[in-house]
Amino acid sequence: MGNADTKLNFRKAIIQLANKNQPIKPEDAFWEQFWAEHQTSVQDVFALVTSNEIRKLRLEQPENLATLCYKATERIVKAVDNSCRTSTDHQAVLNCTRLLTRIIPYIFEDNEWKDFFWSSLPSNDKNDSTPLAQSLINAICDLLFCPDFTVTATNKKSGPDKAEELANIDSCEYIWETGVGFASSIPKNSQMESKRCELLKLLLTCLSETIYRPPNINDNQPNRWIQYFTSAENRHALPLFTSLLNTVCAYDPIGSFGVPYNHLLFQDFQEPLAEVCLQLLIVTLDHDVITCSTPSPNSSVISSSLHAEETVIDNLFINYLSRIHRDEDFSFMLKGITRLLNNPLVQSYLPNSTKRLYCHQELLVFFWKICDFNKKFLYFVLKSSDVLDILVPILYHLNDSRADQSRVGLMHIGVFILLLLSGERNFGVRLNKPYVATVPMDIPVFSGTHADLLITVFHKIIATGHQRLQPLFDCLLTILVNVSPYLKTLSMVAAIKLLHLLEAFSTPWFLFSSPSNHHLVFFLLEIFNNIIQYQFDGNSNLIYTIIRKRQVFHTLANIPTDMNSINKCLNSRKMSGRIQKTANFMKKLEQNNYNDDNDEECENENDSENIGHLAEITEPKKIESEIIGEASDEDMKSDGQDVLQPGSKPAEPCLPGTLNATLLETPAINQMTEKESAHPSQQLLNDITTNTEHTSTPITEITNGETDIDLDDNENKSTTPIKSPTQAFKRAINTRGSIRVTQNIAQNNQIIWRANSEWVQSWRAKLPLQTIMRLLQVLVPQVEKICIDKGLTDESEILKFLQHGTLVGLLPVPHPILIRKYQANSGTTAWFRTYMWGIIYLRNVDPAIWYETEVKLFEIQRV
């Protein structure tokens, strides 16, 4: 009954505040009823204070809204000044925290209020001009290390009169969790963890001003909340960073005892705390980096964990993260991240016996940022097989999300991470480790390495993924190009997948449908060349598949260049007789029936009409400009032809009512990468060893005659003008089990792009086919002769022959290994910021902090 009266009184106060004819003075006792003598949960506050009432208050009684924010902040500051010792102060702080968490987003959404929190507090002291925002952040940070409120007191004294003054506390002694730079054992307290969580939610709300500015504004106007929170003016910056980091990396959803169903028996207060800590970390690490000479706060607590720098970064969180250097700290961080990333993959004979986490997107962003700011951590990850513990869950999420329109952003971040890792030689080497896990994925069962898993999943994404994934095709193939020189033994499954991609992408209609489609063929040919030149001995499966499908390469080498043939290819793609053959061919490839000697589509080299028509199935489908949108029913279907591993299930479409946040366009692959030699210079190695800051390695241009092609060359100079980049051609997937494209569509009377003879000749002459053609010239007669002489009909005997063969001295001189390393740019920076805040928006549903507000950084779609 008392609780009902409390809610009623709180509700009456809100109504009275909005309906007052005159502003209520700050000195009035009216304000105390919002936070004194009642216990109203955060869910109650969000239910009792409606969005319409807040907007009405902002419009009709702005003075009352301003006073409410000021008085709530003042009450929190007052509790800090009193060291927050009493239960009255505790409850008042929580009530003010919940109220501000509800109101602040509506302050941010109105541009006229953008400077409100950066105005000075009303004070009798004319010299005190502290902005309201700084006072609020300082108070929150103090309360996060308040003994007997959010942390357990370390001294033996008890009672309010003997408690330590909050202003004099060394917060480095109260770091929340053991881990990086802090070895003390910390007792767990669920109530204190819950209070930390609420304060951190308010802090995250304060930092969310970014989502109420359009994307183009964020580049020019840094977030002042993040700027102050991560600056040297925040005396708790070091222990806060350490506490957030250790809380995330130490969290174990299984628990200390690993008892099944423990998450159903006991409430887990650590999960929401770990999630909000993770979200705060990725937000604070998003701040723009500016070097300065201001010294950062130092402490003996983690001095041995952070390497000294001559210059520091104005964002201390980035500074601290970049200076971690001890292997034991790296190991702690990596184990924590992999433990949480692999949580969805954990299988048990008892259904739902293990707690399932849903913070994998935030974890991927966090892992990305660590690798971006701390190269030593990246090299630590790559120097052992632990990198595979990152790879497998990423591939799991990529495969599981490929047909779900609400998880296109997850697909992008996963591919970006793999692109970053693939730029390092050790990643390619580690892929040769046998894959023996039993991860539930709807891919063919195979016996091979992690490289086979990588290729199989990438093929699945390209062949059966959602139509919004076409911009990732270049990235996927670039990753395979980077690792290809180190792949020692591809399985037959992986070899067939690669050849199938070449078949599809080398179809004349596909090549002539876009000014950039031929780049995909160049990538695939580079993959084959790298493996042939550097890993020929162990890749008999791939060599055998190339020999079987040799007509694909001959057809590609003789692709027509005259206008009559080009027009014929573009106009004849609807030939109905090929549709059933294509479907059967795709089905056999998906079922891995590569032993079928009666497969005419694969074996009959004289019938080129049966090969490579995967793009000639359906009418073009116009693509909407948004990255995320509604897909057709056909897009959502999984092919269902693969042999499923135990516990796997096909990817599903997003459910009705799902909220989607639109994302920015993905930059072109040539804007995200630069070519480098696969062998680093001695100077670069010295820089890594001495931890010298360097921006980026100079581009090493190594040309190799006709085998090299730049993705950013001006290949369209001889063609009809094309549209602007934002309206440029995009590939789309419209039908299950094949690879499709859309043609450029004329809009607003603009001229569409059309292939012509000069354009085709310009890139056909550069096709890197020399190595493959020489291989076929040498091996095909040998294979045919041995089959005739010995009467071989079993492919295993042919594979055995190829295993013991050699092409030493017969192939062209090995080309230099080139890798395309990821390079940060403004486009990907803006994309990451939008994606990160989109995740946080969608993941915070209890309470739904930003749900009813008008965000501007991205668009919200309800499907």
Side-chain angles (χ1 to χ4, degrees), residues 552-669:
V552 176
F553 300 96
H554 292 299
T555 303
L556 184 59
N558 296 292
I559 195 165
T561 60
D562 60 285
M563 284 305 301
N564 289 335
S565 299
I566 293 173
N567 291 330
K568 183 178 179 181
C569 289
L570 291 174
N571 295 330
S572 64
R573 63 188 178 83
K574 297 181 182 179
M575 296 180 64
S576 59
R578 297 173 181 170
I579 295 179
Q580 187 59 42
K581 292 180 181 179
T582 301
N584 293 337
F585 172 62
M586 182 66 188
K587 181 177 180 180
K588 289 183 178 182
L589 279 181
E590 291 296 321
Q591 292 178 327
N592 301 300
N593 291 336
Y594 44 78
N595 289 323
D596 188 356
D597 294 329
N598 295 321
D599 187 353
E600 295 182 1
E601 286 75 21
C602 295
E603 296 292 354
N604 190 350
E605 297 171 350
N606 297 322
D607 186 9
S608 60
E609 298 297 318
N610 291 329
I611 297 179
H613 297 292
L614 300 185
E616 306 181 11
I617 295 181
T618 61
E619 288 285 347
K621 178 179 178 180
K622 182 179 177 181
I623 304 177
E624 299 174 4
S625 59
E626 293 84 6
I627 291 297
I628 297 177
E630 190 169 355
S632 65
D633 294 337
E634 197 67 27
D635 294 326
M636 290 295 132
K637 294 180 182 178
S638 177
D639 60 4
Q641 302 295 338
D642 289 328
V643 179
L644 302 185
Q645 295 187 3
S648 66
K649 62 177 181 179
E652 298 176 353
C654 65
L655 299 176
T658 302
L659 283 172
N660 295 324
T662 58
L663 293 174
L664 301 173
E665 294 276 346
T666 306
I669 186 66

Side-chain angles (χ1 to χ4, degrees), residues 266-278:
F266 310 101
Q267 184 175 358
D268 185 2
F269 290 94
Q270 289 184 308
E271 180 187 3
L273 178 61
E275 287 185 353
V276 71
C277 286
L278 180 57

